[in-house]
Amino acid sequence: MPFASALHLTTHFHKHGHRFGAATENDYEKMAEAFMSQPLHADLYECTRTDGDRIRLEGITHYYGVAYDVTIIRTFHIRDAHGIAMRGGPAGFVAHKCRE
Amino acid sequence: MFECPVCLYPELPYPASDYNICPCCGTEFGLDDEFRTFAELRHEWVVQGAKWFLLEPPVGWNPWSQLIAEEVLVGENRSHMTFQSGEPSIAAIPVKSIALGDVTVWGLPTTLGTPAGAHIPAVHYGIFQPLDIHFGIAEMVQPFRGQFAIGQPFNTPTAGVFSLVSQEPAIYSAEPFNGLINVVSAGDRQPFSVGVQVAKSYPTTIGDFGQAYEELAFAS
């Protein structure tokens, strides 16, 4: 499940990779793939937008990912707690992102 | 190609949406603009030095000329012109709505290629319309603080962004009028850009100039 292009991966790694402790673009991409493909569990919130984007937020770590066409990752980063709290918590945040 | 709505980078390879990230300013669309406007993001980018985000910038890339070209830094009460390398010249920059308040002349020599420590072409200026009122002594703001006199060549002590602010706002009529500020280039080796701003409360700051701008404490 890769990013759409090398440039997409590079820009996202450059912006977010350090927060995951990812040393390389490849490491970062694998973490994103693992996050978006892992089975749902109690703390993992997911919804699918009408445009097909699949959104995931992990309620404890605040890891956040968006993928489309099942296999293409748009973003993988860590949300700030304040933004999640503003939407009433992880469930509310994901629901809000799905409505946008 | 697309244009970044934040930094105005004209070669954004994808739309400014869907969590795409501008390689120039690093804005991620859908994330960074959730709670901030493009103008606010631009302001943040500018005051942090308008640095290129992703690895190395393209050869010749210049954030200030990018912004100036899109007239982000040239609002209604701003105008500017660029002197080309090695061309002694004079230009009268029109200024609108001069009234009580500060007038600032600003320049971006470093960002247009002048190396640190280099000589900057002489700049002098004056307002000649409509009442032939000369715009007298001005004071440079930091980091190049000093006196500036009408008709006298002005050399910046080092390369860098400079800005001048009038110390005599009260000489002007309460009725706004249009004027001209003459800027003279001695024809140095490097191109540079100068601008004129009639500033009451213009929100944009530009890098090092932005720092100086903040110190101007323009009256609103």
Side-chain angles (χ1 to χ4, degrees):
Chain A
M1 186 189 295
F3 280 81
S5 70
L7 179 60
H8 282 85
L9 173 58
T10 299
T11 53
H12 280 265
F13 170 71
H14 198 67
K15 190 174 180 78
H16 304 299
H18 65 284
R19 295 199 64 195
F20 293 98
T24 66
E25 292 182 5
N26 191 43
D27 291 344
Y28 172 69
E29 190 169 46
K30 284 183 175 176
M31 293 176 75
E33 290 174 341
F35 178 74
M36 293 306 294
S37 61
Q38 69 177 295
L40 290 176
H41 55 78
D43 291 318
L44 186 59
Y45 298 82
E46 181 181 271
C47 74
T48 301
R49 292 166 50 100
T50 54
D51 62 6
D53 279 8
R54 186 165 54 90
I55 295 169
R56 280 190 169 193
L57 174 71
E58 215 286 339
I60 306 295
T61 61
H62 296 168
Y63 285 13
Y64 179 82
V66 179
Y68 68 103
D69 287 348
V70 182
T71 59
I72 308 298
I73 294 173
R74 288 200 193 279
T75 189
F76 177 53
H77 59 265
I78 301 175
R79 304 297 305 206
D80 72 90
H82 177 67
I84 295 171
M86 282 181 61
R87 303 301 181 192
F93 182 85
V94 169
H96 172 79
K97 299 303 290 184
C98 251
R99 289 193 301 267
E100 279 185 337
Chain B
M1 289 293 176
F2 302 87
E3 181 180 84
C4 174
V6 173
C7 67
L8 291 309
Y9 180 56
E11 297 182 32
L12 192 66
Y14 28 57
S17 61
D18 298 330
Y19 297 101
N20 292 325
I21 296 175
C22 175
C24 177
C25 63
T27 298
E28 182 168 350
F29 299 98
L31 173 61
D32 295 318
D33 55 349
E34 272 187 315
F35 302 110
R36 287 171 291 181
T37 65
F38 293 148
E40 290 170 338
L41 291 167
R42 183 183 309 123
H43 178 85
E44 290 179 21
W45 179 65
V46 162
V47 298
Q48 290 168 8
K51 295 181 175 65
W52 181 263
F53 169 72
L54 185 66
L55 307 176
E56 294 298 320
V59 175
W61 174 77
N62 182 316
W64 312 119
S65 56
Q66 178 175 301
L67 292 168
I68 288 172
E70 297 297 331
E71 299 192 346
V72 167
L73 299 182
V74 189
E76 181 181 356
N77 286 342
R78 281 186 160 207
S79 57
H80 86 288
M81 59 89 60
T82 299
F83 289 101
Q84 299 303 313
S85 174
E87 297 177 358
S89 58
I90 182 169
I93 302 178
V95 186
K96 297 178 182 177
S97 301
I98 300 170
L100 294 175
D102 295 325
V103 176
T104 297
V105 179
W106 54 269
L108 306 169
T110 53
T111 56
L112 286 163
T114 303
H119 169 69
I120 306 300
V123 177
H124 35 132
Y125 72 121
I127 295 175
F128 303 102
Q129 294 180 348
L131 303 173
D132 198 32
I133 296 174
H134 279 196
F135 185 28
I137 301 298
E139 182 182 10
M140 290 191 69
V141 295
Q142 289 180 348
F144 308 124
R145 190 172 294 279
Q147 293 299 309
F148 181 81
I150 184 69
Q152 297 299 312
F154 170 75
N155 298 310
T156 56
T158 63
V161 177
F162 63 91
S163 180
L164 307 168
V165 58
S166 167
Q167 297 293 289
E168 301 180 18
I171 65 174
Y172 301 120
S173 163
E175 292 296 321
F177 63 94
N178 297 329
L180 297 171
I181 289 184
N182 282 354
V183 180
V184 179
S185 167
D188 212 329
R189 291 171 300 177
Q190 303 291 339
F192 77 112
S193 181
V194 297
V196 175
Q197 173 186 0
V198 177
K200 279 291 190 180
S201 58
Y202 196 81
T204 304
T205 59
I206 48 176
D208 293 337
F209 169 67
Q211 181 181 353
Y213 184 95
E214 296 292 343
E215 295 169 4
L216 296 180
F218 290 137
S220 59

